[in-house]
Amino acid sequence: MAEKFRDIAHVSAVELLTPTLDETVRFFTDQMAMEVVDRRGDSVYLHTWDDYERFSVKVTGGGGSGIGRTWLRARSPEALERRVGDITAAGRGEGWSRDEPGYGPVFHFTDPDGHPFGIYYETQRYVPSDATRPSLKNQAARFPGRGANVRRLDHVNFLARHVPDNEDFVAAALTGRASEQIVLDDGTTAAVWYTFTDKSYDVVYTRDWTGSTGRLHHVAFATDTREDILRAADVFLEAGVHIETGPHKHAIQQTFFLYVWEPGGNRIELCNAGARLLLAPDHEVVTWTETERAKGQAWGLKTIASFHTHGTPPVAP
């Protein structure tokens, strides 16, 4: 059996769709402490303070909320070639593009649920201005010292009509490895957490109870500490941002979390997984049952009902 390559370096950026472009951008600049680095048409590009690449989030105004494209950086030109080959063989490829600022050639594709992706290798690094130049040369930009101070994009949780189809695609075409999962009493896989790195997870697929395709559960951004998330809760409270649930600790993946809805309706998580890494090359997938999930989160907080029903774009069940 040939050794399996880990060809994805990381999830690099995500596009969020919003019906309230200006308000969503202000949320990311004022409450999340991101910097606007580019504007093109109805899209605004934003940078988290320690992202080495030019942008972390693309916010696009339009008719509704939801997720646009998610970008993955390959580990090398050879890794990009291998992934494009497997994606094409799976029948999910859409062709090459040079439309995005900061990237070289990007290969567009979709997962089996219809979520759009792009994979690339060539990239431009973020260049700080005089106002954002850091004192320490080993970070991308100056620590902003305002709002939630999110450091980087952490993960994306997609909703999917049929989780197993996406399981097979992420494992085979994207070289992801499953770290944890929820399996219902009837044997149905309800959610799977995947990692491309030594982090415990980078993308998640959760069953969409409406039977829809291509929707978003949430996008998550990492903070340095749990205390940053506690302070962020106060920041969001004073700004009138809807706090959905938390701060608290997940049982799955042990992530300290806070969930809010940005003005366009998309769910945003602030997360801190502490020092938990998956260093074992033969990590065995952790499976959670219905009974275990019914207990709620790690310290007993029951999962709020909207966590299972709210997704973007909103649809009727």
Side-chain angles (χ1 to χ4, degrees), residues 74-317:
R75 290 186 177 273
S76 66
E78 294 77 17
L80 177 60
E81 182 179 358
R82 286 191 294 267
R83 291 310 97 228
V84 169
D86 284 351
I87 292 166
T88 301
R92 308 304 311 180
E94 295 182 327
W96 292 93
S97 171
R98 288 182 175 267
D99 291 342
E100 294 301 335
Y103 296 154
V106 179
F107 188 74
H108 286 179
F109 64 97
T110 61
D111 66 16
D113 203 71
H115 299 98
F117 283 81
I119 185 171
Y120 65 95
Y121 175 71
E122 296 178 22
T123 191
Q124 291 181 12
R125 290 181 178 261
Y126 170 83
V127 178
S129 65
D130 289 342
T132 62
R133 185 167 292 110
S135 297
L136 299 176
K137 64 191 297 183
N138 56 0
Q139 68 190 46
R142 176 176 297 182
F143 179 74
R146 70 178 192 279
N149 297 302
V150 294
R151 185 166 197 148
R152 58 177 169 79
L153 174 66
D154 189 79
H155 65 269
V156 183
N157 188 321
F158 301 101
L159 291 172
R161 175 184 290 172
H162 191 241
V163 172
D165 289 345
N166 297 280
E167 280 189 88
D168 296 341
F169 179 77
V170 173
L174 301 183
T175 68
R177 55 174 179 154
S179 58
E180 302 197 22
Q181 63 182 354
I182 299 173
V183 177
L184 304 182
D185 293 345
D186 64 3
T188 301
T189 301
V192 182
W193 284 253
Y194 271 97
T195 179
F196 299 124
T197 62
D198 290 330
K199 288 169 51 193
S200 53
Y201 60 114
D202 294 291
V203 297
V204 187
Y205 283 88
T206 304
R207 186 175 64 171
D208 193 327
W209 73 288
T210 70
S212 304
T213 59
R215 296 208 303 152
L216 173 69
H217 190 271
H218 69 266
V219 174
F221 297 88
T223 64
D224 282 343
T225 68
R226 293 181 178 183
E227 286 71 23
D228 290 330
I229 294 177
L230 297 175
R231 175 58 58 86
D234 286 329
V235 169
F236 293 134
L237 177 66
E238 297 296 346
V241 174
H242 173 64
I243 297 175
E244 182 183 30
T245 185
H248 208 80
K249 179 180 176 178
H250 281 304
I252 297 176
Q253 304 290 1
Q254 299 189 28
T255 307
F256 195 78
F257 67 83
L258 173 67
Y259 290 94
V260 302
W261 297 358
E262 57 86 17
N266 296 301
R267 181 186 284 109
I268 303 295
E269 181 187 11
L270 273 68
C271 66
N272 184 271
R276 186 164 185 266
L277 299 173
L278 297 186
L279 301 179
D282 53 353
H283 170 79
E284 295 183 359
V285 180
V286 176
T287 298
W288 299 83
T289 67
E290 276 192 62
T291 300
E292 290 167 336
R293 294 306 308 124
K295 295 178 181 178
Q297 303 306 322
W299 300 327
L301 178 73
K302 294 301 180 182
T303 303
I304 193 168
S306 63
F307 201 69
H308 297 300
T309 59
H310 180 77
T312 51
V315 297

